[in-house]
Each structure stands twice: as C-alpha cells, then as structure tokens.
Amino acid sequence: MENRMEISLLMDHYGVLLTEKQRSIMSMYYDMDLSLSEIAENQDTSRQAIHDLIKRCIRILEDYEGKLSLMRSSQESERTKERIMMVLGESCLKDDNTLLQEIRGLLGEI
Amino acid sequence: MENRMEISLLMDHYGVLLTEKQRSIMSMYYDMDLSLSEIAENQDTSRQAIHDLIKRCIRILEDYEGKLSLMRSSQESERTKERIMMVLGESCLKDDNTLLQEIRGLLGEI
C-alpha cells in the first residue's frame, strides 16, 4: 500500500495526530510488517476493515503534509545543512575537525 | 484574550489547519485588532458567538502545539542558529563577512 518509506516519514511527522488505535495499526503494518489478515485477527475484525483504516490514515497523513509540509521542509533543511557543512569544509576551517564536528552536532539539533 | 504574541506565533504554525472562517475571524481579532463587537457585526452574529469561536480556535491551536511542538522547536532552532553563528564568529572565519553572511543566509532557509 503506497510507498512504505514515505508513509514511515509521514508517520514520523504526523503520527501523533492520529488516534492511538490508528497509530497502533499503522505500526503493526508498516513497522512490524504484519499482514492485513494478521492485524485483522489480532483486532478481531475483518481484513477489509483494516485495509480501509490504513487507507484512511494515509489520507489523513497526506492531508496534513499538504497543509504543513513538515516532511518536505525537513528534507530541504537536511540538504541545506549539508550545503553549510560543504561550505565550511572548503573554508579555513577545513582541517579543524573538532569545530566542524561541533557545528555538525549543532545543526543536528535544528 | 490570552497572550497575543503567542497566539500570533501559534497561528503562523497551525493557522492552515483551521477552517477558512476560523482563520478569517482570528485574523480580524489578532491581526486587524477589531473588537469582538465589530467582528460580530461584520459576521452578522453575536459577540458571544465570536468570543466562543476564538476561544475554541485557541484550544485547537494549543492542542496542535501540545502534539507537534512546532513553535517550541522553532524557538529552540533559532537559539541553536545563533549559537552556530557565535562559534563561527569566534573562529578563523571571524573576519570573513562574506562567508559568515552566506552561512547566516543558509541557516535562514532551515
């Protein structure tokens, strides 16, 4: 169901906005890699109900990304951080690994 | 009604998650500084209805911040960016204003 990597990233950004039950089922399917049938059995419901719930969650996550763009912004930020490290790595700091590591660490906090 | 600066920041982060009507009324009250009575007249409703709508919007915005912490993260990121600029400003780059400005510009994109 859709791109697992992208949905995993969407869950990282917006998973907290789902209900506990929705999060739990998304985790069973995408993190624990259980099949729809296994989740259905575990939840005492039908395979179709789990399928529909997962599709609905994906729509909710995509709707949030459409409005807040946290995933896209985060990916752009990572590229900008790499660009900063590249610029510094070509400056007079290029042999100062201690300071470059400090800057990388600080960028990691952003 | 509550801290105007904080609500303005919450609107910057989560305003897109409100309905168009909610956004519009929040903007009239917090950006355009109209009174509850003026907004009520404009919307052909009661002052109390506008008051309740604004209170509800604030709860929605605070609920999102409670879950996503975008405002808090953004404030922490700004402090970290300043820390990076301080570290670089004390390094061998301290007199290289062109490069420091380039880094500041890149940090501004994050």
Side-chain angles (χ1 to χ4, degrees):
Chain A
M1 219 174 308
E2 322 262 339
N3 179 326
R4 294 183 87 87
M5 171 68 90
E6 184 172 333
I7 291 170
S8 181
L9 284 172
L10 287 170
M11 281 296 290
D12 287 345
H13 288 293
Y14 306 109
V16 291
L17 299 176
L18 299 179
T19 66
E20 199 172 319
K21 181 182 173 185
Q22 288 171 328
R23 255 200 316 276
S24 158
I25 289 172
M26 290 295 278
S27 172
M28 286 184 216
Y29 191 69
Y30 288 104
D31 301 332
M32 299 160 68
D33 217 18
L34 298 184
S35 70
L36 293 176
S37 302
E38 286 169 323
I39 301 172
E41 190 174 342
N42 173 292
Q43 297 287 304
D44 198 19
T45 185
S46 68
R47 186 183 177 287
Q48 185 64 43
I50 297 300
H51 177 271
D52 293 348
L53 182 145
I54 292 175
K55 292 292 270 187
R56 191 163 61 250
C57 285
I58 294 173
R59 274 204 304 279
I60 294 171
L61 296 172
E62 289 176 339
D63 188 45
Y64 279 120
E65 174 63 12
K67 289 175 173 166
L68 293 174
S69 305
L70 298 184
M71 188 173 77
R72 185 172 55 75
S73 300
S74 163
Q75 288 164 343
E76 287 173 3
S77 290
E78 290 310 311
R79 282 194 289 274
T80 304
K81 290 177 192 176
E82 286 311 313
R83 169 97 187 117
I84 289 172
M85 290 309 299
M86 204 187 76
V87 170
L88 294 179
E90 290 170 352
S91 74
C92 62
L93 290 172
K94 66 177 179 297
D95 295 321
D96 191 341
N97 284 323
T98 306
L99 197 140
L100 289 177
Q101 280 309 312
E102 182 180 353
I103 299 294
R104 187 176 284 285
L106 287 168
L107 286 172
E109 293 175 17
I110 296 178
Chain B
M1 218 175 309
E2 321 260 339
N3 179 326
R4 294 183 88 86
M5 171 68 89
E6 183 173 332
I7 289 169
S8 181
L9 284 172
L10 286 172
M11 280 297 289
D12 288 344
H13 288 293
Y14 307 108
V16 291
L17 299 176
L18 299 179
T19 67
E20 199 172 320
K21 181 181 173 188
Q22 288 173 329
R23 256 200 314 277
S24 158
I25 289 172
M26 290 296 278
S27 172
M28 288 184 213
Y29 192 70
Y30 288 105
D31 301 332
M32 301 160 66
D33 217 19
L34 299 184
S35 71
L36 293 176
S37 303
E38 287 169 323
I39 301 173
E41 192 174 341
N42 173 293
Q43 297 287 304
D44 198 21
T45 184
S46 68
R47 185 182 178 288
Q48 185 65 43
I50 297 300
H51 177 270
D52 292 349
L53 183 146
I54 292 175
K55 292 291 271 187
R56 192 165 58 252
C57 285
I58 294 173
R59 272 203 307 276
I60 293 171
L61 297 171
E62 289 176 338
D63 188 44
Y64 279 122
E65 173 64 11
K67 288 175 175 167
L68 292 174
S69 304
L70 298 183
M71 186 173 79
R72 186 172 54 76
S73 300
S74 163
Q75 289 164 342
E76 287 173 1
S77 291
E78 289 311 309
R79 282 194 289 274
T80 304
K81 291 177 193 177
E82 285 311 313
R83 169 95 186 120
I84 289 172
M85 290 309 297
M86 204 187 76
V87 170
L88 295 179
E90 290 170 352
S91 74
C92 62
L93 290 172
K94 65 179 180 295
D95 295 321
D96 190 341
N97 283 323
T98 306
L99 198 142
L100 289 177
Q101 282 307 312
E102 181 181 353
I103 299 293
R104 186 176 285 286
L106 287 167
L107 286 172
E109 293 174 17
I110 296 178

